[in-house]
Amino acid sequence: MDIRFQAGGEDKWSADIALVPIWEGEKILETCPELGEAAPFLQIAPGMRDVAGRDKEISIVYGHPDLPYSRVMFIGLGKQKSGQGVEGAIREAFARAVRRVRAMHLTSVHIPFYCFRRLGNGIRLLEEAVYACVLANHEITLFKQTTRDELLPRVEWLAVGFRDEFVPDQARVAARRGETAALAVNRARDLANTPGNILFPDAFASKVQLAARERGVRCEVLDEQDLEREGFGAHLAVGRGGAHPPRLVVLEYAPKGHEDEQPLVLVGKGITFDSGGLSLKPSARMHLMKSDMTGAAATFAALMALAEEEVPHRVVGLLALAENMPDGNATRPGDVVTGLSGDRIEIVNTDAEGRLVLCDALTYAQKRWNPAAVVDVATLTGACAVALGDEVAGLFCNDTALAERVISAGHCAGENYWQLPLWPGYRKKLTSPVADICHTSSSREGGAITAALYLEHFIQDDTLWAHLDIAGVDWSDEGSALCSKGATGFATRTLLELGRGGLA
């Protein structure tokens, strides 16, 4: 979708249809008189009697085809809200609108900027509207042999209209921010929807290298020999049973003048397929385990977006890639391995593999850099999904200010987090009779907490650290206007917002 800007008033505007948000019961021609001037037919159109603004309601009013506004789509926002409730309503409404436009086989839409004025911060709402439109225009067609006629047409361009002679710089930046964020989320979704026989660790690493080269981002790939030489024993243990060896991808974005800045380090779990290893998962829904690399996809997509925007902050991304498969060389339950930290780790359940690749990556991040903060993101525990469901991700953090920044970034992105405790009394559940630490709890209760405590074991006392457990929110079985059925790309925009704000 091409984003355009049209200034100079209605006579210079053009598109197949205009999108106008409306509260339930709002008299739109009174609260937004500019609309009546742009489309005078609305003042007499019988169809206006049916425009109620109810939640999820879409009403289309038609004028003469030669008018700049020959169609106006009123998008219901429901009961009037404030603050972040408005932003969420705008996202949902504009996504529904674009889905409807596509169903009508229209190829261009127009958003009059003045329609946001009565709703709150117009600049902020424009960013969310563009974000939603780009997301709703995206379709998963990666491996479908189909003709263009069998697919709903995508909207080719979106125009933002201004009555003034020039486009305000703030509005232009806001629209581009929304576009960049949506393209990053779409990139993460496409990666997470890609099957494990195509996106295995080395293939993932190659994609990252190509994209990094195009963006001028420093990229380094550690293969299995490098990992062995460096001492990544926990990471290597996960990949022993796979046909494709593990990788650690290191991305570093350091704009000129910020090369010596303490970086924000993002660490993503990247299990390109998770069978559970010898602790084999049930067959039902195992096919969805191609998306067990969502954390790495979100990390990669966010960092590329930060580089595209030339954000003035140094950011490092670590993608811990492996496939967890059973074969004669696979790690066995009961094995003891030595991680990069030097800790000897007892492995009881090979299906708890994510924390093994992460613990080595977290150790590496602290050894190689002096981070301003480390944030890891992972589809880590089913226990978190059981506790919080499919709309809220788990947040664990050792610093109150950092936790607040993550939650705030999530709110900006429409991604919700609930902070869970790093309950010190549960550390005893990770006691091993044969090694320094056991990587899983001795009981099932509090599984998300004990997994976070295991990761915390590898965090130095002076390192600010947050752990995002996105199990439960990384996949949508039903789909919505904002996200087709499949991977959601959750946490991508949270990481992007954190990077935009900087932590140094």
Side-chain angles (χ1 to χ4, degrees), residues 243-400:
H244 304 286
R247 296 286 185 268
L248 179 75
V249 181
V250 181
L251 293 165
E252 183 167 357
Y253 167 67
K256 187 175 181 179
H258 298 269
E259 297 91 344
D260 297 326
E261 184 178 274
Q262 283 184 280
L264 166 64
V265 180
L266 308 176
V267 181
K269 172 189 171 183
I271 306 301
T272 57
F273 189 79
D274 181 20
S275 69
L278 292 179
S279 302
L280 197 66
K281 291 179 180 290
S283 59
R285 296 179 66 83
M286 193 196 287
H287 64 288
L288 301 182
M289 288 299 100
K290 64 184 179 180
S291 69
D292 208 21
M293 35 59 70
T294 306
T299 298
F300 163 55
L303 201 142
M304 289 298 103
L306 291 168
E308 180 180 345
E309 289 188 340
E310 299 181 344
V311 169
H313 305 292
R314 185 183 179 200
V315 184
V316 170
L318 300 180
L319 316 182
L321 309 178
E323 59 178 13
N324 187 25
M325 299 290 286
D327 81 349
N329 195 45
T331 296
R332 296 167 290 266
D335 282 0
V336 174
V337 300
T338 303
L340 182 61
S341 65
D343 288 291
R344 291 176 173 82
I345 305 161
E346 182 185 11
I347 299 174
V348 172
N349 183 342
T350 62
D351 193 24
E353 82 300 324
R355 65 198 74 182
L356 291 172
V357 299
L358 287 177
C359 73
D360 275 356
L362 292 171
T363 301
Y364 186 68
Q366 296 165 96
K367 282 188 171 186
R368 181 164 173 179
W369 294 276
N370 178 27
V374 178
V375 179
D376 76 74
V377 56
T379 47
L380 202 66
T381 66
C384 192
V386 171
L388 298 179
D390 58 4
E391 294 184 6
V392 186
L395 165 65
F396 298 86
C397 191
N398 65 2
D399 180 76
T400 301

Side-chain angles (χ1 to χ4, degrees), residues 207-245:
K207 281 182 175 289
V208 174
Q209 284 180 304
L210 178 61
R213 191 178 304 119
E214 292 172 351
R215 289 282 171 229
V217 174
R218 182 175 177 275
C219 181
E220 179 183 356
V221 178
L222 279 66
D223 63 19
E224 65 271 34
Q225 287 82 23
D226 297 323
L227 295 173
E228 182 75 43
R229 183 171 57 253
E230 293 285 344
F232 284 74
H235 190 152
L236 287 166
V238 175
R240 283 191 186 129
H244 304 286

